[in-house]
Amino acid sequence: MDRQRFIASFFALALCSINAWCQGLSRLAEGLEVFTEAQYSCSDGTTPLWLNANKYGMSSLESQNGYLRVGASRSNQNDSLRKWRIGYGIDLALAAKYTRTIFANEAYADFSFMKATITVGAKKRTSPYTTQEMSSGALVYGWNSRPIPQATLDIDWFSFPWTEGWWKWKVHGSYGFTTDGKWQKSVVPETEHYTGNVLYHEKSLYWKFGKENHESVPLTFELGLQFASVFGGTTYNYKGRVFTEYTDIKHPVNFKAFINALTCTGSDENDGSSKNTAGNHVGSWIGRLKWHGTDWTAALRFERMFEDQSMMFIQYGWYDHLVGADFTLPRNPYISAVTIEHMSTRDQSGAVMHDEAVNIPDKMNGMDNYYNHSIYSGYQHWGQANGNPLLTSPVYNENGSLVFSNNRLTAWHFGIAGEPCDWLNWKAFATFTRNWGTYDWPLEDPTNQQYFLIEANAHHARFEGWQATVGLGLDHGKLVGNNFGVQLTIRKTFKL
């Protein structure tokens, strides 16, 4: 009898466990969204900038290119009523004339508890302050390159004690690794160094003052300090400073290396007597003043970039910047959003640099050379800038070099969008730049370049889940040439 009771209890427990497991699987499938997408681009010349840039690396400069994608994702907001929330996503692509034929653009899992979220994998970053659909791109945390696999901790807005929600904080940090080492090796010229197995680190802190939903003054001011760095890994084929012959340099990948990346300390093997910070570091101050109207918004924002620790504060002025204004308008059939931006990266803390030495104890920061680095391959992933694409990405270099050959420029960017009816929306860009190359390798003459875009997106209710996007792009000037292209994207979405 005891044996029969044991067997009955065992099977009852097993059935309960299977039922709970099935319920758990059912919960994880709630809100699942599956999509399939096809894109084809055809250009006279290379693919125009605004058909190529700010697409999370899903782009190519080849005159004809395309891809097939399939993916699935579930937002952790489907568990918004629970303390524990789970999200995940995967995005697989089969591409033609890309830097890689088969790849996963996204593959991640989110685990959230109250205000904290841990993300593991490669996930598309969303800008904390910038309207991604309308902007030319952020200077540090951009969306131009393929996502970097990372383990990320995010703590969402939480109120500072005794401020009753008028003062909030937000924290972000991560460690990850780049995936383009073999691609770098395949394209780089013999006389230039490249890197492999490089690690990546981000950290940022944001403050918010004000309340979006305040009845009388729905005004907020947000301020953020952002850092990104690459470290560790191996630099191949390096020559310069203390290395007079071509050498492979293996950088430390130990606990101290992770601490140096976190604290912006340490030094590289090629520094010699002029010690610098270990790895390649970039950062920016970012801020936004925004009015949250009932059916309209208006925002002024800025971003000020710095390399290493130079220009982190105001001792070298605030010459370099990205300043923008964003407006969303009440529902109307004409114009729904407007963005205006001005960017300048010409100064880079001056044209003279001198490290502290025994006979000259003064140190002068200058020639910051944005996105470039003497020992690493620069602030890029698979040839595309991790920040703003107007700083010409290495993928444009015909000789395969991984150097940003044009990082000193001024630009005006204008974006306008409309929604004439429920099933149709459009946007248009006009961007005007003047370019000087770099301090080390200036252009013979300042060069003007213009970039234009007209894009329309249709998603009629009669064709549920379907949407079609057509884009026309035009480049004009001597920097990247005169290019005209057409891009067609068809997408089908299924929701569970």
Side-chain angles (χ1 to χ4, degrees):
M1 184 66 70
D2 291 340
R3 182 179 180 183
Q4 292 177 346
R5 288 177 179 175
F6 173 79
I7 294 174
S9 299
F10 173 81
F11 278 104
L13 180 61
L15 289 173
C16 290
S17 299
I18 293 172
N19 182 58
W21 183 69
C22 291
Q23 288 180 350
L25 288 180
S26 177
R27 174 196 161 190
L28 290 178
E30 290 178 0
L32 180 65
E33 183 175 289
V34 181
F35 78 90
T36 176
E37 183 177 283
Q39 184 181 98
Y40 174 71
S41 298
C42 180
S43 304
D44 180 11
T46 62
T47 304
L49 179 79
W50 292 131
L51 297 182
N52 161 70
N54 289 339
K55 296 181 180 291
Y56 293 100
M58 290 298 300
S59 57
S60 170
L61 291 183
E62 297 293 333
S63 58
Q64 295 190 59
N65 64 82
Y67 65 71
L68 296 173
R69 290 168 64 190
V70 61
S73 64
R74 178 186 189 268
S75 172
N76 59 11
Q77 292 303 309
N78 288 289
D79 298 330
S80 59
L81 300 180
R82 302 172 182 265
K83 288 185 177 181
W84 284 97
R85 303 177 301 281
I86 298 176
Y88 53 85
I90 188 167
D91 181 354
L92 305 176
L94 174 64
K97 300 296 183 69
Y98 273 51
T99 52
R100 192 169 182 176
T101 303
I102 300 175
F103 57 93
N105 205 41
E106 281 192 298
Y108 68 90
D110 289 331
F111 305 94
S112 302
F113 177 73
M114 300 181 71
K115 295 285 188 179
T117 298
I118 293 176
T119 301
V120 180
K123 183 180 180 181
K124 295 177 181 177
R125 172 193 295 118
T126 56
S127 174
Y129 295 130
T130 307
T131 306
Q132 292 187 204
E133 290 297 319
M134 302 293 289
S135 173
S136 67
L139 291 175
V140 174
Y141 289 175
W143 49 97
N144 184 55
S145 62
R146 198 172 300 172
I148 295 174
Q150 302 174 65
T152 303
L153 171 64
D154 288 286
I155 301 177
D156 206 357
W157 294 111
F158 61 95
S159 181
F160 196 76
W162 306 297
T163 64
E164 298 182 350
W166 283 94
W167 181 7
K168 295 182 178 181
W169 295 55
K170 184 177 181 179
V171 180
H172 165 81
S174 72
Y175 284 101
F177 57 91
T178 60
T179 60
D180 62 346
K182 291 183 178 180
W183 172 80
Q184 289 188 33
K185 181 179 179 180
S186 69
V187 300
V188 76
E190 294 182 358
T191 56
E192 187 174 310
H193 68 270
Y194 65 96
T195 57
N197 302 314
V198 171
L199 301 178
Y200 180 76
H201 170 60
E202 289 181 355
K203 54 181 173 288
S204 55
L205 178 64
Y206 304 99
W207 301 266
K208 180 190 291 186
F209 305 90
K211 295 183 178 181
E212 298 93 331
N213 57 358
H214 192 272
E215 294 182 2
S216 302
V217 188
L219 181 69
T220 58
F221 175 67
E222 297 160 273
L223 181 66
L225 180 58
Q226 305 174 329
F227 292 88
S229 63
V230 295
F231 67 102
T234 303
T235 299
Y236 298 95
N237 201 37
Y238 179 79
K239 182 179 181 181
R241 286 196 180 182
V242 299
F243 297 96
T244 57
E245 301 293 334
Y246 286 105
T247 307
D248 293 344
I249 306 174
K250 290 189 176 182
H251 306 288
V253 181
N254 50 33
F255 181 75
K256 184 178 180 180
F258 282 79
I259 295 300
N260 286 339
L262 177 66
T263 58
C264 301
T265 55
S267 62
D268 287 321
E269 291 82 346
N270 71 322
D271 286 346
S273 60
S274 301
K275 298 300 181 183
N276 209 327
T277 304
N280 181 22
H281 295 255
V282 299
S284 68
W285 289 96
I286 187 167
R288 181 176 65 177
L289 182 67
K290 185 173 183 179
W291 182 274
H292 305 261
T294 303
D295 55 359
W296 65 278
T297 64
L300 296 175
R301 54 182 165 84
F302 74 91
E303 184 173 8
R304 180 181 184 272
M305 183 179 169
F306 54 86
E307 286 259 1
D308 294 322
Q309 297 174 4
S310 60
M311 287 188 72
M312 184 173 177
F313 299 104
I314 61 174
Q315 67 268 38
Y316 291 92
W318 287 72
Y319 303 110
D320 291 346
H321 60 265
L322 193 161
V323 178
D326 303 302
F327 305 93
T328 60
L329 306 178
R331 182 65 184 269
N332 69 83
Y334 306 108
I335 298 175
S336 59
V338 176
T339 289
I340 303 171
E341 292 180 339
H342 181 264
M343 184 172 73
S344 176
T345 61
R346 284 190 63 188
D347 185 64
Q348 304 192 25
S349 68
V352 177
M353 179 185 67
H354 190 277
D355 289 324
E356 181 180 353
V358 175
N359 58 333
I360 304 178
D362 297 322
K363 177 180 175 65
M364 295 181 65
N365 287 323
M367 301 177 66
D368 284 342
N369 207 5
Y370 290 165
Y371 295 174
N372 285 321
H373 194 261
S374 61
I375 199 169
Y376 284 92
S377 297
Y379 193 52
Q380 58 83 39
H381 197 217
W382 292 90
Q384 293 279 13
N386 292 336
N388 192 291
L390 296 181
L391 283 71
T392 311
S393 294
V395 73
Y396 281 90
N397 296 332
E398 294 181 357
N399 66 348
S401 171
L402 298 174
V403 171
F404 285 81
S405 59
N406 176 59
N407 58 20
R408 296 184 63 234
L409 65 122
T410 59
W412 281 99
H413 171 76
F414 302 91
I416 186 171
E419 190 174 359
C421 55
D422 292 338
W423 58 271
L424 180 66
N425 58 69
W426 60 270
K427 69 178 182 180
F429 288 173
T431 309
F432 306 88
T433 68
R434 189 164 176 81
N435 307 270
W436 282 263
T438 69
Y439 275 126
D440 288 333
W441 300 101
L443 299 176
E444 292 185 5
D445 295 299
T447 301
N448 295 329
Q449 183 75 41
Q450 297 87 40
Y451 310 101
F452 303 94
L453 171 73
I454 298 177
E455 184 178 277
N457 178 275
H459 44 90
H460 201 283
R462 181 179 300 177
F463 306 97
E464 184 178 358
W466 287 93
Q467 66 177 28
T469 305
V470 179
L472 303 178
L474 174 68
D475 298 342
H476 179 72
K478 295 182 179 180
L479 182 69
V480 300
N482 300 322
N483 311 297
F484 174 76
V486 180
Q487 189 173 84
L488 174 64
T489 309
I490 305 294
R491 183 184 181 98
K492 170 61 175 174
T493 303
F494 309 86
K495 292 185 178 181
L496 301 181

